[in-house]
Amino acid sequence: MANKKLNQSLTSIFMTYFMSVVLGIVGIGIIAYIGLVVAFRTGFILPANQTENELISLTRSIETDSHFKLSNLPQGTSYLLVDKGGQELQTNMSSSLKKAATSSQDSYRLDHGHYGYFKTFRRPDGSHLIVSYQLRQRYRDPWLEQHLPRLSTVIIGLFSLGLLLYFVLISLFFGRYVKRQLEPIIRMTDKIQEEELEFSLPKTRIREFDQIIQSLDRLRTSLRDSLMRSWQLEQEKQNQIAALTHDIKTPLTVIKGNTDLLEMTNLTDQQSEFLAYTKRNAQLLDDYVQALNQLTKSQKRQDYTPNLISLKAFLDDLDKDAKGLSLAKKVTWEPQVLSSLPDIQVNWDQTLLKRALINVISNAMEYSPTGSVVSLTYELQDSQLLLCITDSGSGFSQNALESAKMPFYTSNTSRNKSQYHQGLGLAVADNIVRLHGGSLEVSNARQGGGQVTITLPIIKKQV
């Protein structure tokens, strides 16, 4: 019951975010107002009419004291002193400001925002003093007034900066909250992707996210049932193949034994020809049975037992077997020099993977003309090893490029030198490579010939 009370909808979260933003703006405004009040009361900031009030308090001194010093005028003011005839006696105004000062009697035409305000005083000697001032807040400290921007600009800037900082912080807070609620969903999808389907359902505090989790759980259940059915069908198929190959072995052994006995008797030339044909096809049938056994074993994960082994030692052992195979196939074997690879550890099933690579190499040699070259190159890319096996044959046909990895696929093109070919070599290799978390791709090399590229994961740990 407590969890249900904690659950929120996305609408309520967005409304909370909106109200937080509004309250934040109001709060920052209140803080700014209190700060201004404190600044005014402590005298750090002077009110807008401070200069005007100071001039009013100095009116009597200016108009009656003939010895009043113009330097005693309030800070931030400018003045123009003219005699009875209007001739300029003394000033610190700019030319444009003097022009505005002399016409200040037409104040309704004056741009106070640009020139400010003017106040005129009659001096004891009959001269006139025109003082210019601005109605704006200012700093009491003259250094601050000179070096900092106008107070209104600073206030607006600080207020805007406070709002921006608040928006960033509140957005980060809500963003991290939503992200934390999304993490269980992400972990759940990762587990489903990895086919790890046995786990307890996570909980979030957002109602819509819990609904997504429930939908993913239904998907997980359906996927688990589907995988279970597929696994059971695959097991049944493998068991049927295993039973079939076992049942075939007995009569096949009888046939091979009887043909051997028959060969030891006196036969006519025609009978010998028929017997040779029978033995050849019996051997072909035996090869098919062995290939079926090999394919079935390569698909069983329980036979997959990886261990940490030396990459160089593995490839060196593969090179020795490939050299022996090349002598029988009458082709030249050209592997890349192993010194170009660092000696690192790899987590592979040495027996299974060697079987896969020998299958690919054997196919490449069989499809290459006598005396031609079969090559093997290596390339390290981040945490993967790429092995590229290239033959000197006629290359893969378009149909072979699409179907070469399918069990029992054979091509009738000139690539195949043998009349009897089970079409299981690449299928077995592909299954073993996929057990190792890698991939096998077939293509045609630029210089001609078929090419098989095998990608395998590695552990970059020096031996």
PDB file of all heavy atoms in Angstrom, residues 185-196:
ATOM      1  N   ILE A 185      14.165  -0.030 -15.984  1.00  0.00           N
ATOM      2  CA  ILE A 185      13.647  -0.430 -17.293  1.00  0.00           C
ATOM      3  C   ILE A 185      14.796  -0.744 -18.241  1.00  0.00           C
ATOM      4  O   ILE A 185      14.760  -1.722 -18.997  1.00  0.00           O
ATOM      5  CB  ILE A 185      12.747   0.687 -17.869  1.00  0.00           C
ATOM      6  CG1 ILE A 185      11.550   0.931 -16.957  1.00  0.00           C
ATOM      7  CG2 ILE A 185      12.272   0.331 -19.280  1.00  0.00           C
ATOM      8  CD1 ILE A 185      10.647   2.047 -17.398  1.00  0.00           C
ATOM      9  N   ILE A 186      15.843   0.091 -18.190  1.00  0.00           N
ATOM     10  CA  ILE A 186      17.004  -0.145 -19.056  1.00  0.00           C
ATOM     11  C   ILE A 186      17.675  -1.467 -18.707  1.00  0.00           C
ATOM     12  O   ILE A 186      18.035  -2.258 -19.585  1.00  0.00           O
ATOM     13  CB  ILE A 186      17.998   1.027 -18.936  1.00  0.00           C
ATOM     14  CG1 ILE A 186      17.358   2.323 -19.467  1.00  0.00           C
ATOM     15  CG2 ILE A 186      19.287   0.733 -19.696  1.00  0.00           C
ATOM     16  CD1 ILE A 186      18.182   3.564 -19.230  1.00  0.00           C
ATOM     17  N   ARG A 187      17.852  -1.717 -17.391  1.00  0.00           N
ATOM     18  CA  ARG A 187      18.453  -2.991 -16.977  1.00  0.00           C
ATOM     19  C   ARG A 187      17.595  -4.173 -17.414  1.00  0.00           C
ATOM     20  O   ARG A 187      18.113  -5.215 -17.834  1.00  0.00           O
ATOM     21  CB  ARG A 187      18.647  -3.010 -15.457  1.00  0.00           C
ATOM     22  CG  ARG A 187      19.745  -2.086 -14.951  1.00  0.00           C
ATOM     23  CD  ARG A 187      20.127  -2.439 -13.521  1.00  0.00           C
ATOM     24  NE  ARG A 187      19.001  -2.290 -12.619  1.00  0.00           N
ATOM     25  CZ  ARG A 187      18.726  -1.187 -11.949  1.00  0.00           C
ATOM     26  NH1 ARG A 187      19.496  -0.120 -12.081  1.00  0.00           N
ATOM     27  NH2 ARG A 187      17.690  -1.116 -11.137  1.00  0.00           N
ATOM     28  N   MET A 188      16.277  -3.991 -17.329  1.00  0.00           N
ATOM     29  CA  MET A 188      15.363  -5.068 -17.722  1.00  0.00           C
ATOM     30  C   MET A 188      15.467  -5.371 -19.209  1.00  0.00           C
ATOM     31  O   MET A 188      15.518  -6.530 -19.628  1.00  0.00           O
ATOM     32  CB  MET A 188      13.930  -4.656 -17.346  1.00  0.00           C
ATOM     33  CG  MET A 188      12.894  -5.750 -17.514  1.00  0.00           C
ATOM     34  SD  MET A 188      11.276  -5.195 -16.921  1.00  0.00           S
ATOM     35  CE  MET A 188      10.295  -6.653 -17.270  1.00  0.00           C
ATOM     36  N   THR A 189      15.506  -4.324 -20.037  1.00  0.00           N
ATOM     37  CA  THR A 189      15.631  -4.530 -21.491  1.00  0.00           C
ATOM     38  C   THR A 189      16.970  -5.154 -21.841  1.00  0.00           C
ATOM     39  O   THR A 189      17.056  -5.977 -22.759  1.00  0.00           O
ATOM     40  CB  THR A 189      15.453  -3.201 -22.240  1.00  0.00           C
ATOM     41  OG1 THR A 189      16.375  -2.230 -21.731  1.00  0.00           O
ATOM     42  CG2 THR A 189      14.039  -2.661 -22.068  1.00  0.00           C
ATOM     43  N   ASP A 190      18.049  -4.766 -21.111  1.00  0.00           N
ATOM     44  CA  ASP A 190      19.361  -5.379 -21.360  1.00  0.00           C
ATOM     45  C   ASP A 190      19.331  -6.872 -21.066  1.00  0.00           C
ATOM     46  O   ASP A 190      19.890  -7.679 -21.820  1.00  0.00           O
ATOM     47  CB  ASP A 190      20.432  -4.694 -20.509  1.00  0.00           C
ATOM     48  CG  ASP A 190      20.748  -3.286 -20.986  1.00  0.00           C
ATOM     49  OD1 ASP A 190      20.415  -2.979 -22.146  1.00  0.00           O
ATOM     50  OD2 ASP A 190      21.308  -2.493 -20.209  1.00  0.00           O
ATOM     51  N   LYS A 191      18.675  -7.252 -19.961  1.00  0.00           N
ATOM     52  CA  LYS A 191      18.594  -8.664 -19.612  1.00  0.00           C
ATOM     53  C   LYS A 191      17.779  -9.442 -20.643  1.00  0.00           C
ATOM     54  O   LYS A 191      18.130 -10.571 -21.007  1.00  0.00           O
ATOM     55  CB  LYS A 191      17.987  -8.825 -18.219  1.00  0.00           C
ATOM     56  CG  LYS A 191      18.916  -8.396 -17.092  1.00  0.00           C
ATOM     57  CD  LYS A 191      18.278  -8.634 -15.734  1.00  0.00           C
ATOM     58  CE  LYS A 191      19.240  -8.246 -14.619  1.00  0.00           C
ATOM     59  NZ  LYS A 191      18.645  -8.466 -13.276  1.00  0.00           N
ATOM     60  N   ILE A 192      16.684  -8.829 -21.120  1.00  0.00           N
ATOM     61  CA  ILE A 192      15.867  -9.497 -22.135  1.00  0.00           C
ATOM     62  C   ILE A 192      16.673  -9.661 -23.413  1.00  0.00           C
ATOM     63  O   ILE A 192      16.624 -10.699 -24.080  1.00  0.00           O
ATOM     64  CB  ILE A 192      14.567  -8.701 -22.390  1.00  0.00           C
ATOM     65  CG1 ILE A 192      13.655  -8.775 -21.160  1.00  0.00           C
ATOM     66  CG2 ILE A 192      13.836  -9.231 -23.613  1.00  0.00           C
ATOM     67  CD1 ILE A 192      12.405  -7.933 -21.263  1.00  0.00           C
ATOM     68  N   GLN A 193      17.453  -8.621 -23.775  1.00  0.00           N
ATOM     69  CA  GLN A 193      18.273  -8.697 -24.978  1.00  0.00           C
ATOM     70  C   GLN A 193      19.311  -9.812 -24.869  1.00  0.00           C
ATOM     71  O   GLN A 193      19.623 -10.492 -25.847  1.00  0.00           O
ATOM     72  CB  GLN A 193      18.966  -7.360 -25.217  1.00  0.00           C
ATOM     73  CG  GLN A 193      19.794  -7.311 -26.492  1.00  0.00           C
ATOM     74  CD  GLN A 193      20.447  -5.959 -26.693  1.00  0.00           C
ATOM     75  OE1 GLN A 193      20.357  -5.084 -25.845  1.00  0.00           O
ATOM     76  NE2 GLN A 193      21.101  -5.779 -27.814  1.00  0.00           N
ATOM     77  N   GLU A 194      19.845 -10.008 -23.660  1.00  0.00           N
ATOM     78  CA  GLU A 194      20.840 -11.054 -23.447  1.00  0.00           C
ATOM     79  C   GLU A 194      20.203 -12.412 -23.167  1.00  0.00           C
ATOM     80  O   GLU A 194      20.907 -13.368 -22.828  1.00  0.00           O
ATOM     81  CB  GLU A 194      21.744 -10.665 -22.269  1.00  0.00           C
ATOM     82  CG  GLU A 194      22.571  -9.410 -22.540  1.00  0.00           C
ATOM     83  CD  GLU A 194      23.243  -8.888 -21.276  1.00  0.00           C
ATOM     84  OE1 GLU A 194      23.062  -9.510 -20.204  1.00  0.00           O
ATOM     85  OE2 GLU A 194      23.940  -7.859 -21.365  1.00  0.00           O
ATOM     86  N   GLU A 195      18.847 -12.468 -23.273  1.00  0.00           N
ATOM     87  CA  GLU A 195      18.092 -13.708 -23.046  1.00  0.00           C
ATOM     88  C   GLU A 195      18.262 -14.219 -21.622  1.00  0.00           C
ATOM     89  O   GLU A 195      18.162 -15.417 -21.353  1.00  0.00           O
ATOM     90  CB  GLU A 195      18.487 -14.788 -24.057  1.00  0.00           C
ATOM     91  CG  GLU A 195      18.162 -14.405 -25.496  1.00  0.00           C
ATOM     92  CD  GLU A 195      18.465 -15.503 -26.493  1.00  0.00           C
ATOM     93  OE1 GLU A 195      18.835 -16.610 -26.042  1.00  0.00           O
ATOM     94  OE2 GLU A 195      18.329 -15.272 -27.702  1.00  0.00           O
ATOM     95  N   GLU A 196      18.510 -13.296 -20.689  1.00  0.00           N
ATOM     96  CA  GLU A 196      18.521 -13.636 -19.265  1.00  0.00           C
ATOM     97  C   GLU A 196      17.132 -13.311 -18.724  1.00  0.00           C
ATOM     98  O   GLU A 196      16.858 -12.194 -18.272  1.00  0.00           O
ATOM     99  CB  GLU A 196      19.596 -12.815 -18.540  1.00  0.00           C
ATOM    100  CG  GLU A 196      19.743 -13.169 -17.077  1.00  0.00           C
ATOM    101  CD  GLU A 196      20.754 -12.279 -16.382  1.00  0.00           C
ATOM    102  OE1 GLU A 196      21.606 -11.685 -17.083  1.00  0.00           O
ATOM    103  OE2 GLU A 196      20.681 -12.165 -15.144  1.00  0.00           O
TER     104      GLU A 196
END
